[in-house]
Structures are given as C-alpha cells and as structure tokens.
mmCIF file of all heavy atoms in Angstrom:
data_model
loop_
_atom_site.group_PDB
_atom_site.id
_atom_site.type_symbol
_atom_site.label_atom_id
_atom_site.label_comp_id
_atom_site.label_asym_id
_atom_site.label_seq_id
_atom_site.Cartn_x
_atom_site.Cartn_y
_atom_site.Cartn_z
ATOM 1 N N THR A 527 -140.122 -81.040 -57.898
ATOM 2 C CA THR A 527 -139.555 -82.094 -57.046
ATOM 3 C C THR A 527 -140.513 -82.604 -55.998
ATOM 4 O O THR A 527 -140.207 -83.560 -55.307
ATOM 5 C CB THR A 527 -138.277 -81.571 -56.351
ATOM 6 O OG1 THR A 527 -138.631 -80.511 -55.454
ATOM 7 C CG2 THR A 527 -137.248 -81.061 -57.363
ATOM 8 N N ARG A 528 -141.694 -81.988 -55.901
ATOM 9 C CA ARG A 528 -142.675 -82.380 -54.862
ATOM 10 C C ARG A 528 -144.055 -82.579 -55.482
ATOM 11 O O ARG A 528 -145.074 -82.189 -54.914
ATOM 12 C CB ARG A 528 -142.722 -81.307 -53.777
ATOM 13 C CG ARG A 528 -141.408 -81.126 -53.013
ATOM 14 C CD ARG A 528 -141.499 -80.117 -51.875
ATOM 15 N NE ARG A 528 -141.789 -78.792 -52.364
ATOM 16 C CZ ARG A 528 -142.902 -78.103 -52.108
ATOM 17 N NH1 ARG A 528 -143.867 -78.652 -51.391
ATOM 18 N NH2 ARG A 528 -143.049 -76.873 -52.587
ATOM 19 N N LEU A 529 -144.119 -83.195 -56.638
ATOM 20 C CA LEU A 529 -145.382 -83.385 -57.325
ATOM 21 C C LEU A 529 -146.303 -84.334 -56.571
ATOM 22 O O LEU A 529 -147.526 -84.342 -56.762
ATOM 23 C CB LEU A 529 -145.137 -83.885 -58.753
ATOM 24 C CG LEU A 529 -144.474 -82.892 -59.708
ATOM 25 C CD1 LEU A 529 -144.179 -83.559 -61.051
ATOM 26 C CD2 LEU A 529 -145.373 -81.678 -59.950
ATOM 27 N N HIS A 530 -145.731 -85.186 -55.709
ATOM 28 C CA HIS A 530 -146.532 -86.131 -54.973
ATOM 29 C C HIS A 530 -147.336 -85.458 -53.860
ATOM 30 O O HIS A 530 -148.249 -86.057 -53.301
ATOM 31 C CB HIS A 530 -145.631 -87.223 -54.345
ATOM 32 C CG HIS A 530 -144.601 -86.659 -53.404
ATOM 33 N ND1 HIS A 530 -143.493 -85.988 -53.832
ATOM 34 C CD2 HIS A 530 -144.529 -86.661 -52.044
ATOM 35 C CE1 HIS A 530 -142.756 -85.629 -52.807
ATOM 36 N NE2 HIS A 530 -143.380 -86.007 -51.672
ATOM 37 N N GLU A 531 -146.997 -84.214 -53.538
ATOM 38 C CA GLU A 531 -147.706 -83.494 -52.485
ATOM 39 C C GLU A 531 -148.885 -82.708 -53.051
ATOM 40 O O GLU A 531 -148.969 -82.451 -54.261
ATOM 41 C CB GLU A 531 -146.745 -82.532 -51.768
ATOM 42 C CG GLU A 531 -145.548 -83.209 -51.127
ATOM 43 C CD GLU A 531 -144.586 -82.195 -50.518
ATOM 44 O OE1 GLU A 531 -144.964 -81.009 -50.466
ATOM 45 O OE2 GLU A 531 -143.502 -82.634 -50.083
ATOM 46 N N GLY A 532 -149.789 -82.321 -52.175
ATOM 47 C CA GLY A 532 -150.875 -81.433 -52.575
ATOM 48 C C GLY A 532 -150.400 -79.973 -52.561
ATOM 49 O O GLY A 532 -149.637 -79.575 -51.671
ATOM 50 N N HIS A 533 -150.822 -79.172 -53.535
ATOM 51 C CA HIS A 533 -150.374 -77.780 -53.627
ATOM 52 C C HIS A 533 -151.571 -76.895 -53.935
ATOM 53 O O HIS A 533 -152.187 -76.980 -55.008
ATOM 54 C CB HIS A 533 -149.322 -77.640 -54.724
ATOM 55 C CG HIS A 533 -148.112 -78.504 -54.531
ATOM 56 N ND1 HIS A 533 -147.158 -78.188 -53.605
ATOM 57 C CD2 HIS A 533 -147.719 -79.642 -55.156
ATOM 58 C CE1 HIS A 533 -146.193 -79.096 -53.645
ATOM 59 N NE2 HIS A 533 -146.541 -80.015 -54.567
ATOM 60 N N SER A 534 -151.909 -76.045 -52.996
ATOM 61 C CA SER A 534 -153.021 -75.128 -53.204
ATOM 62 C C SER A 534 -152.527 -73.766 -53.667
ATOM 63 O O SER A 534 -151.355 -73.438 -53.505
ATOM 64 C CB SER A 534 -153.817 -74.925 -51.901
ATOM 65 O OG SER A 534 -152.996 -74.244 -50.939
ATOM 66 N N VAL A 535 -153.411 -73.000 -54.253
ATOM 67 C CA VAL A 535 -153.061 -71.644 -54.694
ATOM 68 C C VAL A 535 -152.613 -70.825 -53.501
ATOM 69 O O VAL A 535 -151.619 -70.094 -53.583
ATOM 70 C CB VAL A 535 -154.269 -71.004 -55.437
ATOM 71 C CG1 VAL A 535 -153.949 -69.540 -55.729
ATOM 72 C CG2 VAL A 535 -154.588 -71.750 -56.706
ATOM 73 N N ASP A 536 -153.343 -70.908 -52.409
ATOM 74 C CA ASP A 536 -153.017 -70.095 -51.240
ATOM 75 C C ASP A 536 -151.617 -70.450 -50.690
ATOM 76 O O ASP A 536 -150.834 -69.550 -50.338
ATOM 77 C CB ASP A 536 -154.063 -70.315 -50.153
ATOM 78 C CG ASP A 536 -155.368 -69.646 -50.504
ATOM 79 O OD1 ASP A 536 -155.395 -68.657 -51.254
ATOM 80 O OD2 ASP A 536 -156.455 -70.157 -50.087
ATOM 81 N N ALA A 537 -151.311 -71.759 -50.639
ATOM 82 C CA ALA A 537 -150.018 -72.164 -50.084
ATOM 83 C C ALA A 537 -148.863 -71.693 -50.990
ATOM 84 O O ALA A 537 -147.833 -71.255 -50.526
ATOM 85 C CB ALA A 537 -149.983 -73.678 -49.914
ATOM 86 N N CYS A 538 -149.076 -71.822 -52.312
ATOM 87 C CA CYS A 538 -148.048 -71.396 -53.254
ATOM 88 C C CYS A 538 -147.849 -69.883 -53.233
ATOM 89 O O CYS A 538 -146.732 -69.361 -53.303
ATOM 90 C CB CYS A 538 -148.395 -71.851 -54.640
ATOM 91 S SG CYS A 538 -148.259 -73.647 -54.895
ATOM 92 N N ALA A 539 -148.964 -69.155 -53.094
ATOM 93 C CA ALA A 539 -148.891 -67.695 -53.008
ATOM 94 C C ALA A 539 -148.124 -67.283 -51.766
ATOM 95 O O ALA A 539 -147.277 -66.356 -51.800
ATOM 96 C CB ALA A 539 -150.295 -67.095 -53.003
ATOM 97 N N ALA A 540 -148.373 -67.941 -50.673
ATOM 98 C CA ALA A 540 -147.637 -67.631 -49.421
ATOM 99 C C ALA A 540 -146.175 -67.927 -49.549
ATOM 100 O O ALA A 540 -145.310 -67.196 -49.038
ATOM 101 C CB ALA A 540 -148.260 -68.418 -48.264
ATOM 102 N N GLN A 541 -145.848 -68.994 -50.273
ATOM 103 C CA GLN A 541 -144.444 -69.376 -50.432
ATOM 104 C C GLN A 541 -143.641 -68.313 -51.166
ATOM 105 O O GLN A 541 -142.417 -68.148 -50.892
ATOM 106 C CB GLN A 541 -144.354 -70.713 -51.151
ATOM 107 C CG GLN A 541 -142.958 -71.302 -51.234
ATOM 108 C CD GLN A 541 -142.938 -72.691 -51.794
ATOM 109 O OE1 GLN A 541 -143.930 -73.416 -51.756
ATOM 110 N NE2 GLN A 541 -141.783 -73.111 -52.359
ATOM 111 N N VAL A 542 -144.265 -67.595 -52.072
ATOM 112 C CA VAL A 542 -143.559 -66.534 -52.831
ATOM 113 C C VAL A 542 -143.948 -65.152 -52.345
ATOM 114 O O VAL A 542 -143.649 -64.162 -53.030
ATOM 115 C CB VAL A 542 -143.825 -66.684 -54.335
ATOM 116 C CG1 VAL A 542 -143.203 -67.947 -54.853
ATOM 117 C CG2 VAL A 542 -145.320 -66.659 -54.652
ATOM 118 N N ALA A 543 -144.612 -65.082 -51.189
ATOM 119 C CA ALA A 543 -144.943 -63.798 -50.559
ATOM 120 C C ALA A 543 -145.797 -62.924 -51.465
ATOM 121 O O ALA A 543 -145.506 -61.747 -51.660
ATOM 122 C CB ALA A 543 -143.708 -63.093 -50.097
ATOM 123 N N MET A 544 -146.844 -63.487 -52.042
ATOM 124 C CA MET A 544 -147.769 -62.759 -52.877
ATOM 125 C C MET A 544 -149.201 -62.961 -52.405
ATOM 126 O O MET A 544 -149.486 -63.977 -51.750
ATOM 127 C CB MET A 544 -147.690 -63.217 -54.352
ATOM 128 C CG MET A 544 -146.383 -62.967 -55.043
ATOM 129 S SD MET A 544 -146.485 -63.569 -56.780
ATOM 130 C CE MET A 544 -144.769 -63.282 -57.290
ATOM 131 N N SER A 545 -150.049 -62.034 -52.719
ATOM 132 C CA SER A 545 -151.459 -62.249 -52.467
ATOM 133 C C SER A 545 -151.980 -63.297 -53.467
ATOM 134 O O SER A 545 -151.381 -63.548 -54.500
ATOM 135 C CB SER A 545 -152.241 -60.958 -52.638
ATOM 136 O OG SER A 545 -152.273 -60.562 -54.034
ATOM 137 N N ARG A 546 -153.110 -63.917 -53.119
ATOM 138 C CA ARG A 546 -153.682 -64.940 -54.001
ATOM 139 C C ARG A 546 -153.920 -64.355 -55.385
ATOM 140 O O ARG A 546 -153.634 -64.995 -56.401
ATOM 141 C CB ARG A 546 -154.997 -65.443 -53.388
ATOM 142 C CG ARG A 546 -155.714 -66.504 -54.254
ATOM 143 C CD ARG A 546 -157.065 -66.821 -53.699
ATOM 144 N NE ARG A 546 -157.766 -67.789 -54.536
ATOM 145 C CZ ARG A 546 -157.774 -69.107 -54.342
ATOM 146 N NH1 ARG A 546 -157.124 -69.610 -53.311
ATOM 147 N NH2 ARG A 546 -158.406 -69.884 -55.160
ATOM 148 N N ARG A 547 -154.486 -63.149 -55.456
ATOM 149 C CA ARG A 547 -154.832 -62.520 -56.714
ATOM 150 C C ARG A 547 -153.558 -62.241 -57.551
ATOM 151 O O ARG A 547 -153.519 -62.523 -58.751
ATOM 152 C CB ARG A 547 -155.609 -61.229 -56.495
ATOM 153 C CG ARG A 547 -156.064 -60.536 -57.741
ATOM 154 C CD ARG A 547 -156.912 -59.317 -57.417
ATOM 155 N NE ARG A 547 -157.345 -58.633 -58.590
ATOM 156 C CZ ARG A 547 -158.113 -57.548 -58.581
ATOM 157 N NH1 ARG A 547 -158.498 -57.015 -57.427
ATOM 158 N NH2 ARG A 547 -158.469 -56.968 -59.712
ATOM 159 N N THR A 548 -152.539 -61.675 -56.910
ATOM 160 C CA THR A 548 -151.302 -61.349 -57.613
ATOM 161 C C THR A 548 -150.627 -62.639 -58.093
ATOM 162 O O THR A 548 -150.142 -62.714 -59.223
ATOM 163 C CB THR A 548 -150.354 -60.559 -56.716
ATOM 164 O OG1 THR A 548 -150.961 -59.326 -56.345
ATOM 165 C CG2 THR A 548 -149.040 -60.289 -57.440
ATOM 166 N N PHE A 549 -150.584 -63.624 -57.206
ATOM 167 C CA PHE A 549 -149.963 -64.884 -57.582
ATOM 168 C C PHE A 549 -150.660 -65.517 -58.789
ATOM 169 O O PHE A 549 -149.983 -65.970 -59.731
ATOM 170 C CB PHE A 549 -150.003 -65.889 -56.405
ATOM 171 C CG PHE A 549 -149.568 -67.291 -56.798
ATOM 172 C CD1 PHE A 549 -148.233 -67.582 -56.939
ATOM 173 C CD2 PHE A 549 -150.520 -68.259 -57.037
ATOM 174 C CE1 PHE A 549 -147.843 -68.868 -57.292
ATOM 175 C CE2 PHE A 549 -150.132 -69.539 -57.395
ATOM 176 C CZ PHE A 549 -148.778 -69.850 -57.519
ATOM 177 N N THR A 550 -151.981 -65.566 -58.777
ATOM 178 C CA THR A 550 -152.734 -66.170 -59.862
ATOM 179 C C THR A 550 -152.444 -65.482 -61.203
ATOM 180 O O THR A 550 -152.212 -66.102 -62.211
ATOM 181 C CB THR A 550 -154.241 -66.110 -59.561
ATOM 182 O OG1 THR A 550 -154.530 -66.824 -58.357
ATOM 183 C CG2 THR A 550 -155.049 -66.733 -60.709
ATOM 184 N N ARG A 551 -152.427 -64.158 -61.152
ATOM 185 C CA ARG A 551 -152.132 -63.379 -62.384
ATOM 186 C C ARG A 551 -150.727 -63.605 -62.876
ATOM 187 O O ARG A 551 -150.504 -63.853 -64.059
ATOM 188 C CB ARG A 551 -152.390 -61.903 -62.118
ATOM 189 C CG ARG A 551 -152.219 -61.037 -63.400
ATOM 190 C CD ARG A 551 -152.421 -59.552 -63.116
ATOM 191 N NE ARG A 551 -151.344 -58.979 -62.296
ATOM 192 C CZ ARG A 551 -151.479 -58.662 -61.033
ATOM 193 N NH1 ARG A 551 -152.617 -58.827 -60.373
ATOM 194 N NH2 ARG A 551 -150.469 -58.155 -60.348
ATOM 195 N N GLN A 552 -149.747 -63.527 -61.954
ATOM 196 C CA GLN A 552 -148.361 -63.660 -62.394
ATOM 197 C C GLN A 552 -147.995 -65.080 -62.807
ATOM 198 O O GLN A 552 -147.189 -65.299 -63.708
ATOM 199 C CB GLN A 552 -147.429 -63.145 -61.307
ATOM 200 C CG GLN A 552 -147.528 -61.627 -61.061
ATOM 201 C CD GLN A 552 -146.322 -61.058 -60.383
ATOM 202 O OE1 GLN A 552 -145.252 -61.678 -60.308
ATOM 203 N NE2 GLN A 552 -146.436 -59.841 -59.903
ATOM 204 N N PHE A 553 -148.602 -66.086 -62.130
ATOM 205 C CA PHE A 553 -148.362 -67.470 -62.526
ATOM 206 C C PHE A 553 -148.859 -67.700 -63.959
ATOM 207 O O PHE A 553 -148.181 -68.349 -64.757
ATOM 208 C CB PHE A 553 -149.038 -68.390 -61.553
ATOM 209 C CG PHE A 553 -148.625 -69.849 -61.707
ATOM 210 C CD1 PHE A 553 -147.556 -70.354 -60.972
ATOM 211 C CD2 PHE A 553 -149.255 -70.684 -62.623
ATOM 212 C CE1 PHE A 553 -147.183 -71.675 -61.098
ATOM 213 C CE2 PHE A 553 -148.887 -72.004 -62.777
ATOM 214 C CZ PHE A 553 -147.811 -72.504 -62.021
ATOM 215 N N GLN A 554 -150.026 -67.175 -64.284
ATOM 216 C CA GLN A 554 -150.610 -67.314 -65.624
ATOM 217 C C GLN A 554 -149.725 -66.655 -66.665
ATOM 218 O O GLN A 554 -149.455 -67.180 -67.721
ATOM 219 C CB GLN A 554 -151.997 -66.705 -65.647
ATOM 220 C CG GLN A 554 -152.697 -66.776 -67.003
ATOM 221 C CD GLN A 554 -153.173 -68.148 -67.361
ATOM 222 O OE1 GLN A 554 -153.690 -68.876 -66.505
ATOM 223 N NE2 GLN A 554 -153.012 -68.550 -68.607
ATOM 224 N N GLN A 555 -149.216 -65.449 -66.311
ATOM 225 C CA GLN A 555 -148.345 -64.727 -67.257
ATOM 226 C C GLN A 555 -147.001 -65.469 -67.425
ATOM 227 O O GLN A 555 -146.441 -65.504 -68.536
ATOM 228 C CB GLN A 555 -148.071 -63.303 -66.725
ATOM 229 C CG GLN A 555 -149.280 -62.378 -66.720
ATOM 230 C CD GLN A 555 -149.004 -61.048 -66.062
ATOM 231 O OE1 GLN A 555 -147.987 -60.891 -65.353
ATOM 232 N NE2 GLN A 555 -149.918 -60.110 -66.267
ATOM 233 N N HIS A 556 -146.502 -66.055 -66.372
ATOM 234 C CA HIS A 556 -145.196 -66.686 -66.389
ATOM 235 C C HIS A 556 -145.194 -68.035 -67.073
ATOM 236 O O HIS A 556 -144.236 -68.402 -67.766
ATOM 237 C CB HIS A 556 -144.705 -66.874 -64.948
ATOM 238 C CG HIS A 556 -143.254 -67.198 -64.821
ATOM 239 N ND1 HIS A 556 -142.245 -66.523 -65.421
ATOM 240 C CD2 HIS A 556 -142.639 -68.232 -64.124
ATOM 241 C CE1 HIS A 556 -141.078 -67.059 -65.123
ATOM 242 N NE2 HIS A 556 -141.283 -68.102 -64.337
ATOM 243 N N THR A 557 -146.276 -68.796 -66.940
ATOM 244 C CA THR A 557 -146.337 -70.160 -67.462
ATOM 245 C C THR A 557 -147.328 -70.336 -68.603
ATOM 246 O O THR A 557 -147.275 -71.346 -69.313
ATOM 247 C CB THR A 557 -146.694 -71.170 -66.378
ATOM 248 O OG1 THR A 557 -148.051 -70.924 -65.931
ATOM 249 C CG2 THR A 557 -145.741 -71.049 -65.177
ATOM 250 N N GLY A 558 -148.295 -69.405 -68.723
ATOM 251 C CA GLY A 558 -149.366 -69.563 -69.732
ATOM 252 C C GLY A 558 -150.424 -70.508 -69.240
ATOM 253 O O GLY A 558 -151.320 -70.874 -70.036
ATOM 254 N N GLN A 559 -150.407 -70.916 -67.963
ATOM 255 C CA GLN A 559 -151.363 -71.869 -67.435
ATOM 256 C C GLN A 559 -151.769 -71.511 -66.037
ATOM 257 O O GLN A 559 -151.006 -70.833 -65.321
ATOM 258 C CB GLN A 559 -150.770 -73.297 -67.407
ATOM 259 C CG GLN A 559 -150.397 -73.884 -68.765
ATOM 260 C CD GLN A 559 -149.730 -75.225 -68.616
ATOM 261 O OE1 GLN A 559 -148.661 -75.317 -68.061
ATOM 262 N NE2 GLN A 559 -150.370 -76.268 -69.108
ATOM 263 N N ALA A 560 -152.925 -71.975 -65.607
ATOM 264 C CA ALA A 560 -153.317 -71.894 -64.205
ATOM 265 C C ALA A 560 -152.508 -72.927 -63.428
ATOM 266 O O ALA A 560 -151.970 -73.887 -63.993
ATOM 267 C CB ALA A 560 -154.812 -72.140 -64.069
ATOM 268 N N LEU A 561 -152.408 -72.741 -62.116
ATOM 269 C CA LEU A 561 -151.611 -73.668 -61.281
ATOM 270 C C LEU A 561 -152.059 -75.105 -61.437
ATOM 271 O O LEU A 561 -151.231 -76.013 -61.631
ATOM 272 C CB LEU A 561 -151.684 -73.233 -59.831
ATOM 273 C CG LEU A 561 -151.006 -74.177 -58.820
ATOM 274 C CD1 LEU A 561 -149.490 -74.231 -59.078
ATOM 275 C CD2 LEU A 561 -151.313 -73.750 -57.373
ATOM 276 N N GLY A 562 -153.356 -75.343 -61.386
ATOM 277 C CA GLY A 562 -153.868 -76.724 -61.489
ATOM 278 C C GLY A 562 -153.502 -77.358 -62.826
ATOM 279 O O GLY A 562 -153.111 -78.530 -62.876
ATOM 280 N N ASP A 563 -153.592 -76.597 -63.914
ATOM 281 C CA ASP A 563 -153.263 -77.151 -65.235
ATOM 282 C C ASP A 563 -151.786 -77.452 -65.345
ATOM 283 O O ASP A 563 -151.382 -78.474 -65.906
ATOM 284 C CB ASP A 563 -153.686 -76.147 -66.328
ATOM 285 C CG ASP A 563 -155.175 -76.000 -66.415
ATOM 286 O OD1 ASP A 563 -155.870 -76.961 -66.051
ATOM 287 O OD2 ASP A 563 -155.646 -74.930 -66.892
ATOM 288 N N TRP A 564 -150.958 -76.540 -64.782
ATOM 289 C CA TRP A 564 -149.511 -76.769 -64.820
ATOM 290 C C TRP A 564 -149.128 -77.999 -64.049
ATOM 291 O O TRP A 564 -148.305 -78.839 -64.484
ATOM 292 C CB TRP A 564 -148.782 -75.523 -64.270
ATOM 293 C CG TRP A 564 -147.285 -75.607 -64.449
ATOM 294 C CD1 TRP A 564 -146.546 -75.146 -65.479
ATOM 295 C CD2 TRP A 564 -146.337 -76.266 -63.545
ATOM 296 N NE1 TRP A 564 -145.211 -75.446 -65.306
ATOM 297 C CE2 TRP A 564 -145.076 -76.122 -64.113
ATOM 298 C CE3 TRP A 564 -146.497 -76.917 -62.325
ATOM 299 C CZ2 TRP A 564 -143.936 -76.623 -63.515
ATOM 300 C CZ3 TRP A 564 -145.347 -77.412 -61.720
ATOM 301 C CH2 TRP A 564 -144.074 -77.286 -62.304
ATOM 302 N N LEU A 565 -149.712 -78.171 -62.843
ATOM 303 C CA LEU A 565 -149.403 -79.333 -62.027
ATOM 304 C C LEU A 565 -149.823 -80.637 -62.728
ATOM 305 O O LEU A 565 -149.061 -81.617 -62.717
ATOM 306 C CB LEU A 565 -150.111 -79.214 -60.689
ATOM 307 C CG LEU A 565 -149.514 -78.237 -59.666
ATOM 308 C CD1 LEU A 565 -150.457 -78.023 -58.519
ATOM 309 C CD2 LEU A 565 -148.167 -78.751 -59.194
ATOM 310 N N LEU A 566 -150.987 -80.626 -63.347
ATOM 311 C CA LEU A 566 -151.437 -81.810 -64.045
ATOM 312 C C LEU A 566 -150.505 -82.154 -65.204
ATOM 313 O O LEU A 566 -150.138 -83.341 -65.384
ATOM 314 C CB LEU A 566 -152.856 -81.633 -64.580
ATOM 315 C CG LEU A 566 -153.449 -82.823 -65.368
ATOM 316 C CD1 LEU A 566 -153.479 -84.063 -64.485
ATOM 317 C CD2 LEU A 566 -154.859 -82.474 -65.874
ATOM 318 N N HIS A 567 -150.074 -81.182 -65.963
ATOM 319 C CA HIS A 567 -149.159 -81.407 -67.075
ATOM 320 C C HIS A 567 -147.833 -81.967 -66.541
ATOM 321 O O HIS A 567 -147.303 -82.939 -67.095
ATOM 322 C CB HIS A 567 -148.958 -80.114 -67.849
ATOM 323 C CG HIS A 567 -148.256 -80.287 -69.157
ATOM 324 N ND1 HIS A 567 -148.681 -79.682 -70.308
ATOM 325 C CD2 HIS A 567 -147.200 -81.048 -69.540
ATOM 326 C CE1 HIS A 567 -147.898 -80.041 -71.323
ATOM 327 N NE2 HIS A 567 -147.014 -80.875 -70.870
ATOM 328 N N ALA A 568 -147.313 -81.347 -65.474
ATOM 329 C CA ALA A 568 -146.050 -81.820 -64.943
ATOM 330 C C ALA A 568 -146.157 -83.212 -64.390
ATOM 331 O O ALA A 568 -145.246 -84.057 -64.538
ATOM 332 C CB ALA A 568 -145.582 -80.857 -63.823
ATOM 333 N N ARG A 569 -147.258 -83.548 -63.730
ATOM 334 C CA ARG A 569 -147.458 -84.866 -63.191
ATOM 335 C C ARG A 569 -147.561 -85.919 -64.312
ATOM 336 O O ARG A 569 -147.021 -87.026 -64.199
ATOM 337 C CB ARG A 569 -148.710 -84.894 -62.301
ATOM 338 C CG ARG A 569 -148.489 -84.230 -60.960
ATOM 339 C CD ARG A 569 -149.758 -83.927 -60.225
ATOM 340 N NE ARG A 569 -149.461 -83.491 -58.861
ATOM 341 C CZ ARG A 569 -150.237 -82.728 -58.107
ATOM 342 N NH1 ARG A 569 -151.401 -82.301 -58.612
ATOM 343 N NH2 ARG A 569 -149.874 -82.388 -56.876
ATOM 344 N N LEU A 570 -148.271 -85.590 -65.370
ATOM 345 C CA LEU A 570 -148.392 -86.536 -66.477
ATOM 346 C C LEU A 570 -147.066 -86.724 -67.174
ATOM 347 O O LEU A 570 -146.769 -87.825 -67.690
ATOM 348 C CB LEU A 570 -149.486 -86.044 -67.458
ATOM 349 C CG LEU A 570 -150.894 -86.141 -66.932
ATOM 350 C CD1 LEU A 570 -151.876 -85.484 -67.928
ATOM 351 C CD2 LEU A 570 -151.299 -87.606 -66.692
ATOM 352 N N GLN A 571 -146.283 -85.677 -67.234
ATOM 353 C CA GLN A 571 -144.933 -85.836 -67.825
ATOM 354 C C GLN A 571 -144.088 -86.769 -66.956
ATOM 355 O O GLN A 571 -143.351 -87.606 -67.526
ATOM 356 C CB GLN A 571 -144.259 -84.469 -67.931
ATOM 357 C CG GLN A 571 -142.940 -84.489 -68.709
ATOM 358 C CD GLN A 571 -142.372 -83.123 -68.882
ATOM 359 O OE1 GLN A 571 -142.386 -82.304 -67.945
ATOM 360 N NE2 GLN A 571 -141.859 -82.812 -70.060
ATOM 361 N N GLN A 572 -144.214 -86.654 -65.651
ATOM 362 C CA GLN A 572 -143.484 -87.564 -64.781
ATOM 363 C C GLN A 572 -144.023 -88.984 -64.900
ATOM 364 O O GLN A 572 -143.261 -89.951 -64.855
ATOM 365 C CB GLN A 572 -143.584 -87.105 -63.322
ATOM 366 C CG GLN A 572 -142.668 -87.868 -62.376
ATOM 367 C CD GLN A 572 -142.684 -87.328 -60.973
ATOM 368 O OE1 GLN A 572 -143.717 -87.283 -60.344
ATOM 369 N NE2 GLN A 572 -141.530 -86.871 -60.491
#
C-alpha cells in the first residue's frame, strides 16, 4: 500500500524488530526474493 515511498532494508528490519541480517535471510526465505527485487516486481505489477 506504500509502494510510492522509499523502503530500505534497515527501515524494514526495524519495522519487524529484526536485525538486518536476520531480516534479509527471512525475507528471502519467505518471498524467494531480495527486498529490492520484490519491490520492483510489486511496483511493475501496479
């Protein structure tokens, strides 16, 4: 719902109360993509 905003790995990790390293690993496991790739795909779909 906020694709128009900028989203960094650090900000997203803080939002879910994870370290940068843990967030990066779990995001990849959960979506199969890095945060930047997921955001680009979602933006292009929009």
Side-chain angles (χ1 to χ4, degrees):
T527 64
R528 298 183 295 115
L529 292 174
H530 60 285
E531 301 176 8
H533 301 285
S534 68
V535 173
D536 289 331
C538 290
Q541 187 173 336
V542 293
M544 295 181 185
S545 69
R546 179 187 178 96
R547 182 176 180 180
T548 298
F549 171 79
T550 300
R551 183 181 69 253
Q552 292 202 14
F553 192 93
Q554 179 73 41
Q555 292 174 347
H556 193 52
T557 67
Q559 296 175 297
L561 174 64
D563 293 334
W564 187 91
L565 284 170
L566 179 59
H567 193 135
R569 284 166 171 155
L570 289 174
Q571 188 176 42
Q572 189 175 60

